[in-house]
Structure formats: C-alpha cells, structure tokens
Amino acid sequence: MLSVSQAEARILELVHPLKTVETVTLREANRRVLGQTVVSVQDFPYWPNSAMDGYAVQWEDVAQATPHQPDRLTITEEIPAGQEPQRVLLKGQAARIFTGAKLPQGADTVIMQEQTQCQGDQVLILSAPSQKGHFVRSQGEYCQKGENLLEAGIRLQAPELAVLATAQVSQVSVYRRPQVAIFSTGDELIAVEQTLTGAKIVDSNQYALAAFVENQGAIPVSLGIVPDDPDRLKSTMAQAIVSADLVLSTGGVSVGDYDYVEKLLAELGGEIVIRSVAMKPGKPLTVAKFANGCVYFGIPGNPVSALVSCWRFVQPAIAKLSGLSAPWSPVWVKAQTQTRLTSDGQRETYLWGRVQCSSTGDLTFAIAPGSHSSGNLINLAQANALAVLPIGTKEIASQETITLLLPQGL
Ligand code: AMP
Ligand code: MG
C-alpha cells in the first residue's frame, strides 16, 4: 500500500498541464487560469499624480514651513482629476490639486489641504512635508513598462482582473478548463428525484463531486448512475475515458464481489498506478492512466471517503492539469485542537471539523461532533478543515498543535 505522499507524487507525475489556450473577454475571465504572461506596455501610474486633495509645490519652497512661520505661495491653477495641467510650476508657486490629478511639471511634492490655508490667490503652507515627493504617486512606482504585470499560471480573480483592465487587456488568453467526467456506481443508488424504496439510497456523491470539480475551475460532465453490471460499467467507463481529461467514478473499488472498477480499468487498457493508499478514510483509491492522457480516479463510494479523496488527491491533479503554477498540493496550516484526537495509528487519518480564528488570532480546530464513520456525510456539512494524524500517531491531546488540510484553500 502506498503512503499518502507517495500516492500524491505518483498522481502529479501522471498529470500534465493542458496547455491549450483560448481567448475570453475580461468579464468571462474570472477564476480562469492565465495562459500567457502579460507584460506591461506602460508605466503604472501612467504619470505622476496626487495622492491627496491639496497643493502641488516644489519641496524646496516648503521644507522649512511651520504653523508659526508658514510659507506663502502663489496659486497658478486648479487641476481636478482628469484635467491636463496648463502651467509649469515655478519656484514660489503652488497648484491647487485633487486626488488622482496629474502633477504639473515643476512640482515634486503635494501638501494636503489640511496643512494649508487659502488666502485669495495665495496659499499658506503650515507645515513641512516629511520628505520630497510626499503624497506624490510617481510615474512607474507600481510597475514599469516592460516588466511582467501578471505571470502565466495564476488564477485570475478580482485583483488580477482589475490589473488587466487597467492595462487595457480586454481579451485574455486563458487555459482551457479540464473536462471531468463524473459518475456513481452501485445497484443501491437512485437519483435525487426518484422515490426511495426498499434497500436503495440516494446518490449523493454525484452532487458533491460536481460541486467540488466546479470549485476547482474545471467542467464537470455528469454521466449519472451506473449499476454494478460489468458490461454497463465498462461501456460508461470507456465513454468517459475517451471524452474527458479526468474521470471520477465513485464506488466499486473495494474488495467486494461487486467491485469491478479495477478489473475493468485493466481490460480497457489502463495502466493501474495506485490500488490503495494507507489513508483513513479513502483506502481503496484506484488510479489509472490511459494512452490518450486521461487519468482515471476510482474513488471509494462512502461519501466522506469520496470527498476526502477529492480534497487530498484530485485537487492537486486538477490544479496541475489546469495549468496553475506549482505548488499543487492542498493548503496546510497549523492549529490548536480543542479536543483530543484519536486514530488507530495504522493509516494516515483525516478527521473533519471546523477551523476558526480565535480572539487572540490563533487558529483553533473543533472536530465535527458525532460519528467519524466514512459513511456519515451528515456531520461533514460545514466542515472546512481536515485534521491529519500521521501513521503511528494514536492520539493528539487537546490544546496540542496539529496540521490541517484546508479544502477551500486560504
Ligand atoms: P462502495 O465503495 O461501492 O463499496 O460503496 C461504499 C459505501 O458507499 C456503500 O455503503 C455505498 O452504499 C455507499 N455509496 C456508494 N456510492 C454512493 C453514492 N454515489 N452516494 C452515496 N453513497 C454511496
Ligand atoms: Mg458499490
């Protein structure tokens, strides 16, 4: 049996970024992965401008100003934001200026209006600025022409879209989103809208996995429920493998008489690279690689195992496939556990619960109350962290520091 980190490393070796790019509008680019580094074609700010409402001056004129000995300057013009300055500023002069307005030539410093007193066409400067250039946003201070504005391989979100807009990039090159086929296997499964009878249960994994895939920025393609019938299972698997970049099927990967996935993967020509992982929940994870590049995840059917497997292994795979820059591993943080945590010590154990920021600013972990059975999907609701107990650790005392996996990242 592979360790969790060995399994993750194997998965990342199998997966290669889909480097096909497509062009989308800026509005469509939210949450997409940037496919091409954007080089700045201009300086930011474009020109020196004022960070305050006040007066643009020459530093040397006002360097000694105090409330008792203010400097008196002659006002040359008023420069609102959006208006080109009309005059070069000379010694002994000040220009009335507003936040974001372009600095007139000759000015190097801005005095905020609270430190001034206007007297007709003159202004008294009541205090010296701390340094030359005070309250001026100088040209190229944020980024200079020719520098990289945004690197390929980053996820575009609100701040990055603002950067692209300011650089007038209205069409964005992004990587194609991975297509992820999802289906559930099991004779016991019915769809959510069907009537529950006899020994049936509702296929909840389909919804969990589709939402998970969507949250990773990939496209879920639902293939529904497939019964534990080798022929039907094989044909759905074959269809998924030829049409998707990644396949996630749940169920049928244990050692039961009706668990056909591994055998069928081999029959379909898959190279099986993982058969099980020393992990709880999630031990029967099966991973295979196909000649067309498709990577198949046979995920255990228990609802908690299914999501924990996705968070621990599928998330890095989708991240790499999507063209995101490394690291692809999940996000880990340290926190203090509020209760004792236990495991049998045999496998790397993941316990679900909530991480919170305490009033002192420390992260604390509260395990979800109730059963930590891999079938108990009820107390998985509202979990935002998985506490990890390494192999060999049977107990972690309350108040000890633990490692948490954050499924939603930071
Ligand atoms: P399996 O991995 O097929 O042995 O299934 C393990 C357990 O998970 C069984 O109790 C199944 O009934 C349950 N299970 C399997 N697939 C699903 C699903 N799609 N939704 C909810 N529970 C499932
Ligand atoms: Mg089953």
Side-chain angles (χ1 to χ4, degrees):
M1 208 171 357
L2 293 179
S3 72
V4 171
S5 58
Q6 284 170 329
E8 183 190 23
R10 272 199 195 179
I11 289 165
L12 287 173
E13 268 170 38
L14 290 185
V15 173
H16 301 290
L18 303 170
K19 291 266 167 144
T20 320
V21 290
E22 55 196 37
T23 301
V24 297
T25 66
L26 204 46
R27 282 290 286 120
E28 294 163 337
N30 190 29
R31 302 211 33 82
R32 300 295 301 266
V33 181
L34 186 61
Q36 198 172 35
T37 294
V38 177
V39 177
S40 183
V41 296
Q42 58 199 340
D43 290 335
F44 293 99
Y46 313 131
W47 18 257
N49 68 91
S50 177
M52 283 287 163
D53 295 324
Y55 290 86
V57 299
Q58 292 189 355
W59 153 255
E60 273 160 19
D61 279 347
V62 298
Q64 310 300 327
T66 66
H68 302 297
Q69 279 192 306
D71 283 315
R72 180 177 293 274
L73 301 173
T74 302
I75 300 171
T76 54
E77 62 173 327
E78 183 174 293
I79 316 169
Q83 194 163 300
E84 188 71 31
Q86 300 300 309
R87 303 222 164 90
V88 175
L89 192 105
L90 305 173
K91 191 167 164 43
Q93 295 181 332
R96 179 73 172 120
I97 199 163
F98 298 92
T99 304
K102 193 169 178 178
L103 222 66
Q105 265 183 46
D108 55 34
T109 300
V110 170
I111 311 296
M112 66 195 285
Q113 101 191 10
E114 291 83 342
Q115 304 294 340
T116 65
Q117 201 181 321
C118 182
Q119 295 185 342
D121 65 353
Q122 302 203 317
V123 60
L124 295 181
I125 307 298
L126 305 174
S127 103
S130 57
Q131 62 195 51
K132 186 175 178 177
H134 202 226
F135 293 136
V136 173
R137 303 161 175 165
S138 57
Q139 181 173 341
E141 180 182 326
Y142 309 151
C143 180
Q144 296 193 352
K145 181 177 174 176
E147 287 181 345
N148 286 357
L149 256 188
L150 297 174
E151 307 265 351
I154 61 167
R155 172 110 41 218
L156 299 174
Q157 297 198 70
E160 295 77 22
L161 295 174
V163 170
L164 291 171
T166 206
Q168 292 192 298
V169 179
S170 58
Q171 301 285 314
V172 193
S173 168
V174 292
Y175 292 125
R176 158 172 102 71
R177 297 164 72 197
Q179 299 261 351
V180 182
I182 299 170
F183 58 94
S184 302
T185 73
D187 282 345
E188 72 276 36
L189 303 176
I190 59 162
V192 68
E193 60 282 350
Q194 284 180 286
T195 307
L196 206 53
T197 54
K200 302 291 182 189
I201 65 167
V202 175
D203 167 21
S204 58
N205 287 347
Q206 186 92 224
Y207 291 88
L209 267 57
F212 159 78
V213 164
E214 222 162 61
N215 289 344
Q216 308 311 307
I219 302 171
V221 181
S222 282
L223 301 180
I225 298 170
V226 185
D228 292 317
D229 169 86
D231 293 336
R232 291 184 60 187
L233 189 52
K234 192 172 177 179
S235 75
T236 305
M237 288 168 72
Q239 179 197 342
I241 291 158
V242 295
S243 61
D245 301 299
L246 216 67
V247 181
L248 309 179
S249 71
T250 61
V253 287
S254 304
V255 293
D257 291 348
Y258 301 94
D259 294 331
Y260 301 115
V261 171
E262 184 180 328
K263 181 172 151 276
L264 296 175
L265 283 170
E267 283 181 26
L268 288 165
E271 180 199 346
I272 297 176
V273 285
I274 296 174
R275 293 195 155 80
S276 65
V277 183
M279 172 176 179
K280 188 181 176 185
K283 180 171 126 189
L285 180 76
T286 303
V287 179
K289 168 98 186 184
F290 284 84
N292 69 352
C294 178
V295 177
Y296 190 110
F297 284 80
I299 293 170
N302 271 310
V304 178
S305 312
L307 269 179
V308 171
S309 303
C310 285
W311 290 334
R312 185 65 190 84
F313 297 117
V314 184
Q315 189 169 299
I318 296 182
K320 186 171 180 188
L321 198 59
S322 305
L324 282 169
S325 306
W328 301 292
S329 278
V331 173
W332 306 94
V333 292
K334 297 278 185 196
Q336 193 182 53
T337 179
Q338 290 179 330
T339 54
R340 192 172 79 104
L341 304 176
T342 59
S343 146
D344 63 10
Q346 305 289 308
R347 290 180 269 153
E348 188 167 306
T349 300
Y350 289 74
L351 299 169
W352 47 104
R354 269 193 85 71
V355 63
Q356 269 184 325
C357 196
S358 73
S359 55
T360 56
D362 299 310
L363 294 181
T364 60
F365 175 74
I367 192 170
S371 162
H372 274 246
S373 148
S374 57
N376 183 8
L377 79 171
I378 305 299
N379 70 350
L380 196 60
Q382 292 298 294
N384 65 356
L386 297 171
V388 185
L389 278 69
I391 292 179
T393 299
K394 293 193 170 176
E395 180 181 335
I396 296 178
S398 173
Q399 310 308 313
E400 290 282 305
T401 300
I402 52 164
T403 302
L404 296 179
L405 183 160
L406 301 185
Q408 282 118 41
L410 281 174

